[in-house]
Amino acid sequence: MTPPKQTYTYDIRNSLSKNLFRGFWRMMTGFRHYYFIAVLMLAGSALMNTSSFLLVRHFVDNILPTGDVARLAPFVGLGFVLLAGGQGLFSFLSGRFASKTAEGLALRLRDAMYDHIQRLSFTYHDNMQTGELLSRATSDLDAIRRFFSEQAIGVGRILLLFTINFIAIAFLNIQLALISIIVVPFIAGLSFFFFGRISRLYEHLQEQEAKVATTLQENLSGVRVVKAFNRQDYERVKFDKEIFEHYRRGRGFLVMHALFWPLSDVLVFGQIIGGYFVGATLVINGTLSIGSYLAYVSLLGQLINPMRNLGRLIVDMSTGVVSYKRMMEVIGQEQESLVDGSHKPDGDLHGDIVFKDVSFQYNADTPVLYDVDFSVKAGQSVALLGSTGSGKTSVVSLIPRFYDYTSGSITIDGIELRDIPRGYLRGQVGVVEQEPFLFSRTIRDNITFSVSREVSEEEVIAAAKAAAVHDVIMTFPDGYNTLVGERGVTLSGGQKQRVVLARALLKNPRILILDDATSSVDSETEDEIRQALLRLMKGRTSFIIAHRIQTVMHADLILVFDKGRIVQRGNHNQLMREEGIYRQIFDLQSRIDEEVEKEATDVLGLPV
Ligand code: UTP
Ligand code: MG
């Protein structure tokens, strides 16, 4: 079945409101009529119910005394059956529409939440923990679903039952009706008193739930590290601490509930007994008929029970309200626009890139790039070299606008980067990230992930060959259909890197960014990849980050970074003539190579 249209056409950000009622009301857009039908059906059901009590009264007061019971009883019986049947039917219909409202809303909310989360900025995701987002998208969302399926319908139901039964009792005796609702303000007061307390406790509970989710998620992602360092016990103690806190808060929350119930029950039962007593007195005085009293006893239950439930609802609503706030905190975050920027070039980019005095910082206090200044012509290659943490990844993440630079200017084909829409730009850039990530799908799905169009088998194979991974894939029993990751064959680090490279190459981007893309690949394979890349990189601008001189020496421009600044620039020959980091690294690496060679021949007697 395809999801209903309103799942996608409603922008969930419209539900943002400081006023909770307005927020919930807006959230119900497209589902309000179902909600009202549900409440209306409830009214039908309640009317049938109340009528059956009035029928009792009629039977006792008007039919029994006539002595004509034998003739009329079947009609009365039929009346009861019809009323009961009608009540059941209405109640079923009401449930049906209530679930349509609540589940429909939950479906839309889940969809919107997922879509929204993946459109938030890199910075937001850097700072937000996955477990925190997970708990909002699951547990909080469920509390909102319950709010609509139980509490919102419940409120309608209670108000209706209360009104209908109050009118019915007033019809029997107005004095009785007024006496029967003395307890109402007390229950309302008590509920509101507990509402505040319980919502605070629930908020604390949800915060802790997010912490537990984060700990669990991190522990599962890092399960190999935990096992490798034999830190299971340590992790367990850490997790125990979090779940014990969860237990403690959960217990506090339930204790508060447990306190509320007996208190409201005392009030309710006091009211019922008082009502019976006053009613009985009226019967003895002769003001009230026996039939009316019998009807009243049942109606009073119907009037007071909803009151009791109202207390529960108000208290339960606090969970929906807290969860609404927690979800709206995420929904309220600005999405990263993919269509911003006034200048969308026609067709593909050419690829002339100019950095001019670019500075950048991830957060307010620590700059990571200072005055980065270089230019590259379309089709040229730039290599970035430098110690760890010197800012290489940061420089290249500015190009697809993963982050926006703080000052200076970056232009592509003369257009300021900020003016180029992110969506278009990212379509032109292919990135191999420093930490390769593959989805638990087949190898083919992972390679074709980079493009949205249909891809032919030949294209996939060509990309895999260029990344020197085709032959490896063919050795797997399922070839390109091999499942990667959790459930399938797990690839080696180097294989993973090459699959990710194939993914970027398949996209055939104008600008190619390879961040340490061959770090886990042996020199021979790297050579193979380099040859393929040399062919592929013709005509496109490429950025290569690597630690090995051999990888970067063929680049048109080599930039050496240190502590966020460019300290050397030029091609291999130029840099070799200069004193500086580049030659130091070159000497060091050649010395290591020589030593390895020497040792291999001297000690092991192997020719290299
Ligand atoms: P980079 O990630 O740009 O360094 O971080 P790099 O040159 O690529 O390093 P290697 O070779 O991959 O190891 C530059 C600085 O930016 C900070 C880091 O702490 C580092 O000092 N940084 C990085 C952040 O503050 N936030 C981030 O999300 C990433
Ligand atoms: Mg890096």
Side-chain angles (χ1 to χ4, degrees):
M1 258 180 20
T2 46
K5 204 164 115 250
Q6 64 262 44
T7 305
Y8 302 112
T9 47
Y10 178 72
D11 185 351
I12 200 71
R13 281 169 296 170
N14 292 342
S15 309
L16 274 175
S17 174
K18 281 226 157 40
N19 182 329
L20 286 170
F21 287 104
R22 194 175 300 151
F24 280 119
W25 179 248
R26 287 185 187 162
M27 205 182 265
M28 286 170 73
T29 306
F31 288 98
R32 286 181 202 139
H33 54 295
Y34 293 131
Y35 173 77
F36 285 113
I37 294 175
V39 174
L40 214 68
M41 293 294 128
L42 266 180
S45 157
L47 271 176
M48 300 274 163
N49 192 25
T50 303
S51 307
S52 66
F53 298 129
L54 295 178
L55 191 59
V56 170
R57 168 182 178 258
H58 181 67
F59 182 71
V60 173
D61 282 355
N62 304 336
I63 296 176
L64 275 182
T66 61
D68 204 7
V69 181
R71 194 172 63 80
L72 291 173
F75 293 105
V76 176
L78 184 68
F80 279 122
V81 170
L82 285 179
L83 286 173
Q87 189 195 342
L89 180 69
F90 280 121
S91 150
F92 163 74
L93 287 175
S94 165
R96 199 179 170 284
F97 283 100
S99 59
K100 206 172 163 104
T101 314
E103 296 301 330
L105 275 167
L107 171 68
R108 183 165 77 186
L109 218 59
R110 285 198 180 101
D111 181 67
M113 185 77 173
Y114 176 70
D115 188 53
H116 182 73
I117 289 176
Q118 56 170 355
R119 285 173 199 278
L120 292 170
S121 69
F122 280 71
T123 309
Y124 182 81
H125 283 289
D126 289 349
N127 295 324
M128 192 71 171
Q129 283 162 323
T130 313
E132 180 75 40
L133 283 175
L134 271 181
S135 101
R136 288 177 202 230
T138 52
S139 149
D140 284 318
L141 204 137
D142 204 56
I144 297 180
R145 184 188 61 79
R146 260 182 289 123
F147 177 87
F148 283 109
S149 72
E150 290 161 24
Q151 294 130 33
I153 298 286
V155 169
R157 180 183 134 85
I158 285 164
L159 291 178
L160 273 168
L161 283 179
F162 184 81
T163 317
I164 291 171
N165 288 302
F166 179 76
I167 293 173
I169 297 178
F171 168 74
L172 300 175
N173 185 307
I174 185 78
Q175 207 183 338
L176 259 189
L178 291 176
I179 288 172
S180 307
I181 55 166
I182 288 178
V183 79
V184 171
F186 294 101
I187 292 222
L190 190 70
S191 307
F192 279 106
F193 177 79
F194 274 89
F195 178 85
R197 274 160 185 75
I198 288 186
S199 54
R200 222 167 309 132
L201 288 177
Y202 181 72
E203 197 166 352
H204 288 163
L205 182 63
Q206 285 304 88
E207 278 164 14
Q208 190 56 27
E209 169 133 0
K211 268 198 201 150
V212 170
T214 304
T215 314
L216 187 65
Q217 182 265 332
E218 219 167 53
N219 202 333
L220 291 179
S221 319
V223 69
R224 301 175 78 96
V225 183
V226 175
K227 287 163 94 74
F229 290 94
N230 222 359
R231 297 293 272 170
Q232 290 93 333
D233 288 337
Y234 171 79
E235 285 298 311
R236 184 185 169 166
V237 169
K238 212 175 91 193
F239 189 64
D240 274 353
K241 225 173 75 193
E242 298 297 349
I243 47 173
F244 183 74
E245 181 61 23
H246 188 270
Y247 157 82
R248 216 179 53 78
R249 293 186 185 187
R251 199 182 49 184
F253 174 68
L254 289 179
V255 164
M256 203 48 110
H257 261 275
L259 210 61
F260 172 73
W261 287 116
L263 284 176
S264 72
D265 277 355
V266 167
L267 287 175
V268 163
F269 289 123
Q271 170 73 70
I272 289 181
I273 290 169
Y276 288 175
F277 181 77
V278 174
T281 320
L282 291 177
V283 174
I284 292 167
N285 291 346
T287 332
L288 198 69
S289 69
I290 302 269
S292 296
Y293 182 67
L294 282 178
Y296 168 69
V297 166
S298 310
L299 287 171
L300 186 62
Q302 299 289 311
L303 180 77
I304 294 301
N305 271 330
M307 281 318 297
R308 204 178 149 225
N309 283 332
L310 183 65
R312 165 181 292 210
L313 270 184
I314 290 179
V315 166
D316 281 353
M317 261 185 201
S318 61
T319 61
V321 166
V322 168
S323 289
Y324 169 83
K325 282 193 199 145
R326 283 169 55 83
M327 261 194 75
M328 286 302 146
E329 259 169 37
V330 180
I331 300 284
Q333 294 294 325
E334 187 100 24
Q335 289 187 1
E336 177 190 64
S337 168
L338 294 176
V339 292
D340 64 335
S342 50
H343 210 109
K344 180 168 176 264
D346 303 322
D348 282 338
L349 284 174
H350 201 54
D352 294 319
I353 300 178
V354 180
F355 272 62
K356 214 168 164 44
D357 300 330
V358 174
S359 299
F360 170 65
Q361 53 200 51
Y362 287 98
N363 43 42
D365 31 277
T366 42
V368 297
L369 293 179
Y370 305 86
D371 307 326
V372 175
D373 207 80
F374 67 88
S375 66
V376 48
K377 289 256 165 302
Q380 285 190 327
S381 57
V382 183
L384 291 84
L385 195 76
S387 57
T388 163
S390 56
K392 305 179 296 291
T393 301
S394 307
V395 170
V396 293
S397 0
L398 298 179
I399 297 170
R401 290 189 66 192
F402 291 164
Y403 302 92
D404 277 332
Y405 40 101
T406 326
S407 70
S409 132
I410 302 176
T411 57
I412 298 188
D413 298 348
I415 311 164
E416 188 67 32
L417 204 60
R418 278 205 191 88
D419 295 334
I420 309 179
R422 286 191 186 85
Y424 168 82
L425 191 62
R426 289 179 194 167
Q428 300 283 312
V429 181
V431 186
V432 175
E433 297 230 37
Q434 190 164 14
E435 282 152 32
F437 180 84
L438 293 175
F439 297 94
S440 348
R441 304 175 193 169
T442 64
I443 292 186
R444 180 185 294 100
D445 286 347
N446 269 292
I447 295 180
T448 56
F449 185 80
S450 56
V451 288
S452 46
R453 61 186 167 85
E454 279 295 312
V455 183
S456 71
E457 196 64 21
E458 289 77 49
E459 282 179 275
V460 177
I461 293 176
K465 278 190 174 156
V469 71
H470 173 72
D471 293 339
V472 178
I473 296 173
M474 291 321 282
T475 63
F476 299 145
D478 291 331
Y480 281 87
N481 292 324
T482 308
L483 272 179
V484 175
E486 300 190 300
R487 273 155 297 140
V489 180
T490 307
L491 304 179
S492 77
Q495 290 163 351
K496 234 192 300 191
Q497 236 175 15
R498 283 180 279 161
V499 171
V500 173
L501 186 60
R503 173 165 78 195
L505 293 178
L506 177 73
K507 187 176 173 186
N508 195 14
R510 294 301 306 158
I511 299 167
L512 189 63
I513 296 173
L514 307 176
D515 192 349
D516 242 359
T518 50
S519 61
S520 321
V521 176
D522 59 274
S523 333
E524 210 173 311
T525 314
E526 195 192 349
D527 224 41
E528 203 181 319
I529 295 175
R530 197 180 321 125
Q531 298 304 329
L533 285 182
L534 277 180
R535 269 180 281 122
L536 282 166
M537 286 186 318
K538 280 218 172 68
R540 58 188 103 225
T541 315
S542 52
F543 292 83
I544 302 165
I545 299 177
H547 289 281
R548 282 185 220 145
I549 295 281
Q550 281 191 349
T551 317
V552 301
M553 61 194 287
H554 303 285
D556 297 305
L557 174 66
I558 301 170
L559 301 171
V560 183
F561 277 83
D562 189 35
K563 301 195 187 77
R565 290 176 205 278
I566 299 179
V567 289
Q568 277 188 293
R569 66 178 75 222
N571 61 27
H572 177 70
N573 292 333
Q574 289 166 333
L575 289 175
M576 283 307 288
R577 284 196 290 273
E578 274 176 31
E579 277 293 326
I581 300 182
Y582 189 82
R583 213 166 72 192
Q584 281 167 15
I585 300 175
F586 181 84
D587 290 344
L588 192 70
Q589 289 190 356
S590 339
R591 215 166 43 238
I592 291 173
D593 286 348
E594 268 165 34
E595 260 165 43
V596 169
E597 205 171 316
K598 196 157 168 288
E599 222 148 271
T601 37
D602 287 3
V603 181
L604 303 170
L606 292 175
V608 174

